[in-house]
């Protein structure tokens, strides 16, 4: 039952953006960006998830589902193949639902700078990221807004693929309990950070991938120290 209350609390956090729409709740307020039809789907899934613990047949189905997912991702001798399959599926979603809007606004400045035919201004604090962007853009054609957009989307989506892979590794090392592992994986995968990987134009996707890598190796060190 403790897991249920943790899940209910995590779900409640998602509604803070609706209660305080003008506040800056990055990571919790992504529901306000959903179209109404997707919101209804999300609310339906929430309702189903919250009633599962009180309906025994659903509990049995849920436990079997958890066990199967846990086996495929963490215990099977083909677990690397299954993890790769999950990453590929995530990539398909990232590409299919790439965002046409760059929420924080800085993305439009990046597109203009990266696509400028007269030259690209490189800030000293963003030199590494800009050089990576320019390197990838050089393979896509002449400098333009279109190649700048494609460059940023490639980096965003690739960062997302790496993040999903390390999310799986983090959930594996964070606990030996199947439910805790799957719950941790869902919390990571369904966090607001996921928005950065749908072709989002910003420098955050480039930097953010370092965070799950750091968390994974930190947890590995702590567990095996």
């Amino acid at each position: 039952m403790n897991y249920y209350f943790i899940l209910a609390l995590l779900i409640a956090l998602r509604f803070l953006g609706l209660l305080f729409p003008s506040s800056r709740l990055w990571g919790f307020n992504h529901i306000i960006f959903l179209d109404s039809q997707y919101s209804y789907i999300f609310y339906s899934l929430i309702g189903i998830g919250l009633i599962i613990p009180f309906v025994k047949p659903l509990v049995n189905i849920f436990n079997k589902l958890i066990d199967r997912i846990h086996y495929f991702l963490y215990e099977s001798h083909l677990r690397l193949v299954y993890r790769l399959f999950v990453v590929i599926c995530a990539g398909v979603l990232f590409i299919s639902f790439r965002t046409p809007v760059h929420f924080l606004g800085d993305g439009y400045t990046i597109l203009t700078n990266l696509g400028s035919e007269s030259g690209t201004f490189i800030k000293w604090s963003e030199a590494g990221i800009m050089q990576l962007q320019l390197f990838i853009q050089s393979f896509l054609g002449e400098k333009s807004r279109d190649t700048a957009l494609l460059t940023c989307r490639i980096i965003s989506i690739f960062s997302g693929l790496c993040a999903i892979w390390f999310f799986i590794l983090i959930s594996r090392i964070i606990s030996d309990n199947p439910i805790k592992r799957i719950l941790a994986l869902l919390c990571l995968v369904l966090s607001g950070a996921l928005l950065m990987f749908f072709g989002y134009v910003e420098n955050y996707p480039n930097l953010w991938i370092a965070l799950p890598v750091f968390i994974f190796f930190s947890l590995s060190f702590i567990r095996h120290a």
Side-chain angles (χ1 to χ4, degrees):
M1 210 53 167
N2 290 335
Y3 299 141
Y4 178 82
F5 289 114
I6 292 173
L7 179 62
L9 176 61
L10 291 172
I11 290 174
L13 289 175
R14 296 289 181 265
F15 289 90
L16 287 178
L18 297 179
L19 296 175
F20 308 100
S22 62
S23 60
R24 296 189 177 186
L25 298 172
W26 175 246
F28 300 113
N29 64 347
H30 52 288
I31 294 180
I32 67 176
F33 299 113
L34 294 178
D35 291 335
S36 57
Q37 63 269 29
Y38 296 115
S39 297
Y40 296 144
I41 294 173
F42 182 76
Y43 300 147
S44 299
L45 292 175
I46 286 176
I48 294 172
L50 290 177
I51 66 172
I52 284 178
F54 303 101
V55 183
K56 191 170 182 179
L58 291 179
V59 171
N60 294 333
I61 294 173
F62 179 75
N63 287 335
K64 290 179 181 178
L65 180 61
I66 290 292
D67 289 340
R68 296 302 293 173
I69 294 175
H70 184 268
Y71 172 77
F72 287 134
L73 292 180
Y74 305 107
E75 296 180 344
S76 171
H77 66 283
L78 293 176
R79 57 187 176 276
L80 294 181
V81 175
Y82 292 127
R83 291 173 187 174
L84 184 61
F85 175 75
V86 171
V87 170
I88 291 173
C89 289
V92 171
L93 291 176
F94 293 153
I95 295 172
S96 300
F97 297 99
R98 55 192 180 277
T99 175
V101 178
H102 316 299
F103 300 107
L104 299 182
D106 294 340
Y108 297 101
T109 302
I110 292 173
L111 286 179
T112 301
N113 185 33
L114 194 61
S116 175
E117 297 180 0
S118 60
T120 299
F121 173 74
I122 301 177
K123 293 173 59 177
W124 69 268
S125 59
E126 301 174 350
I129 294 173
M130 291 298 298
Q131 291 295 346
L132 174 63
Q133 291 171 340
L134 291 171
F135 176 74
I136 294 175
Q137 187 183 31
S138 66
F139 293 97
L140 302 177
E142 299 294 329
K143 289 176 66 67
S144 67
R145 189 179 179 87
D146 289 337
T147 58
L149 178 60
L150 183 56
T151 296
C152 292
R153 282 181 168 171
I154 289 173
I155 294 174
S156 168
I157 292 170
F158 181 77
S159 297
L161 300 181
C162 294
I164 295 296
W165 181 269
F166 277 95
F167 286 163
I168 296 173
L169 296 182
I170 290 171
S171 63
R172 176 185 63 82
I173 202 169
I174 206 169
S175 174
D176 295 324
N177 182 286
I179 294 180
K180 287 184 178 180
R181 281 180 170 176
I182 300 302
L183 183 59
L185 179 59
L186 289 175
C187 290
L188 290 168
V189 170
L190 300 179
S191 71
L194 202 69
L195 290 171
M196 293 190 292
F197 307 131
F198 286 87
Y200 186 56
V201 177
E202 252 290 5
N203 289 331
Y204 294 117
N206 317 52
L207 297 172
W208 202 89
I209 185 56
L211 180 59
V213 174
F214 174 78
I215 292 174
F216 169 69
F217 284 107
S218 297
L219 290 174
S220 298
F221 177 80
I222 291 172
R223 286 204 68 175
H224 300 108

